[in-house]
Amino acid sequence: ETETFFVMVMPSGQFNAPTTFYEQISRRVTEDYFRHSGSVTSALRTVFNNLNHNLVEHNRQGGRTYEANMLCAVLRGDDLIVARVGCGVTILREMGKTSTFPEDLQDDEALFKPPMGVHPIPDVRLTQYKVANGSRLILGDATLAEFELEQVTNALMRADMSEVLAGLRLLAIEQVTLMA
């Protein structure tokens, strides 16, 4: 009741599963998160570890291997905790400042981390922000790193969310997966 949970699961690797596969992952991750009784970071790590374990086990059985990039964000009061595995991007506009996670979107080593389903232990990256009323958050795939940050900032400063999305759509040359 005191937290809002956001999750974005994105395909990775050679094979993409049907869309329902990623929707089921999102539902399961959300259920797992709210079942956990520990801290936010502990719950996020548990969610990532459980999903990664399931994907690794599936992939060991042969057949098609599935991998996934995932971003989660938890809003608790004025704290926003963001976690990522793989190559997801977060852009936050709050209190007149635009922040990105990873911090340097031009650093391929920071941006492109192994997705879930590849290694037995996922490489979970976490960050935390203070937010206020009117903050804007984007969760998306690595395509966001190709956008000019100044143009994204201009889109995020628009009056309402439909205008924000319209501004972001203009920046997408090909395809981008995002949630704002």
Side-chain angles (χ1 to χ4, degrees):
E1 292 180 18
T2 62
E3 297 174 358
T4 304
F5 182 74
F6 304 91
V7 61
M8 177 173 261
V9 182
M10 300 159 286
S12 182
Q14 185 177 5
F15 299 108
N16 288 347
T19 304
T20 55
F21 177 78
Y22 301 102
E23 291 169 353
Q24 289 171 352
I25 288 175
S26 295
R27 276 193 293 279
R28 182 171 179 192
V29 163
T30 302
E31 291 168 2
D32 286 352
Y33 175 79
F34 283 109
R35 250 188 252 124
H36 194 275
S37 60
S39 69
V40 170
T41 56
S42 172
L44 288 170
R45 287 186 186 283
T46 298
V47 161
F48 281 105
N49 285 325
N50 289 346
L51 178 57
N52 186 70
H53 174 76
N54 291 339
L55 286 173
V56 167
E57 287 303 310
H58 168 81
N59 293 344
R60 283 187 184 152
Q61 294 173 6
R64 288 195 169 181
T65 59
Y66 293 122
E67 301 170 6
N69 299 305
M70 189 165 75
L71 289 163
C72 293
V74 178
L75 179 62
R76 176 187 270 177
D78 63 352
D79 290 318
L80 178 69
I81 300 94
V82 180
R84 67 187 276 267
V85 170
C87 59
V89 172
T90 302
I91 302 176
L92 176 68
R93 177 78 182 164
E94 48 84 31
M95 297 182 209
K97 181 180 173 194
T98 302
S99 304
T100 65
F101 180 53
E103 284 187 33
D104 183 358
L105 297 180
Q106 303 308 311
D107 180 358
D108 285 352
E109 195 170 308
L111 181 61
F112 296 103
K113 295 293 185 185
M116 289 185 296
V118 174
H119 300 296
I121 299 173
D123 184 6
V124 180
R125 301 294 170 133
L126 293 152
T127 193
Q128 184 171 349
Y129 302 99
K130 288 287 186 190
V131 295
N133 193 19
S135 296
R136 301 279 173 87
L137 173 69
I138 302 172
L139 304 175
D141 64 23
T143 305
L144 282 177
E146 299 172 15
F147 292 4
E148 292 293 327
L149 192 55
E150 183 178 335
Q151 292 175 319
V152 173
T153 298
N154 289 338
L156 288 172
M157 291 176 13
R158 294 189 177 180
D160 63 42
M161 195 53 66
S162 63
E163 291 179 15
V164 169
L165 292 172
L168 293 171
R169 185 173 185 219
L170 292 174
L171 300 177
I173 295 169
E174 292 181 21
Q175 181 176 344
V176 62
T177 302
L178 64 81
M179 174 173 44

